[in-house]
């Protein structure tokens, strides 16, 4: 992380390399966003989240559509009960230029 001339003190230049594709990237980022990412107890190494943008391979992921997912569960654990509770969840699909994609609830 490097300070950027002419930028507020809370904006730094963040540099990193994607572990999957080995692509190097750098871009301005707010110190608050960096502290959230670096302070996570579990680092997945796949997706970084900066200020609401999901990044993979050093680039913001693009919205590639929406999906409606149906989740179903039985109302009871009794064998004779065949009624199910259905929940519908609207998601947005995000895709990276490398082909990686993920779905997030809307």
């Amino acid at each position: 992380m490097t300070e950027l001339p002419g930028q507020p003190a809370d904006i730094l230049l963040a540099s990193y390399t994607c572990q999957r594709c080995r692509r190097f990237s750098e871009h301005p980022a707010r110190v608050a966003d960096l502290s959230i990412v670096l302070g996570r107890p579990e680092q997945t190494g796949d997706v970084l989240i900066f200020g609401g943008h999901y990044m993979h391979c050093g680039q913001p992921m693009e919205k590639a559509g929406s999906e409606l997912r149906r989740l179903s569960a039985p109302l009871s654990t009794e064998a004779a009960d065949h009624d199910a509770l259905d929940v519908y969840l609207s998601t947005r699909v995000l895709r990276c230029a490398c082909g990686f994609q993920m779905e997030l609830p809307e």
Side-chain angles (χ1 to χ4, degrees), residues 9-95:
D10 69 333
I11 303 292
L12 299 175
L13 183 64
S15 304
Y16 51 92
T17 301
C18 176
Q19 292 177 341
R20 183 172 292 172
C21 69
R22 311 306 294 160
R23 185 174 175 178
F24 174 81
S25 184
E26 61 183 10
H27 58 85
R30 292 178 353 142
V31 171
D33 293 333
L34 290 171
S35 66
I36 291 169
V37 171
L38 297 174
R40 288 184 188 146
E42 296 178 21
Q43 296 289 332
T44 62
D46 287 342
V47 177
L48 294 177
I49 305 168
F50 284 112
H53 298 283
Y54 291 80
M55 303 190 64
H56 189 264
C57 294
Q59 298 178 357
M61 296 175 70
E62 299 288 331
K63 185 172 180 180
S66 297
E67 296 287 334
L68 186 62
R69 298 289 180 198
R70 179 179 155 213
L71 306 173
S72 186
L75 290 174
S76 166
T77 56
E78 299 296 321
D81 190 0
H82 296 290
D83 291 331
L85 176 63
D86 291 337
V87 175
Y88 292 89
L89 178 67
S90 178
T91 64
R92 64 185 158 130
V93 179
L94 299 178
R95 186 171 295 136

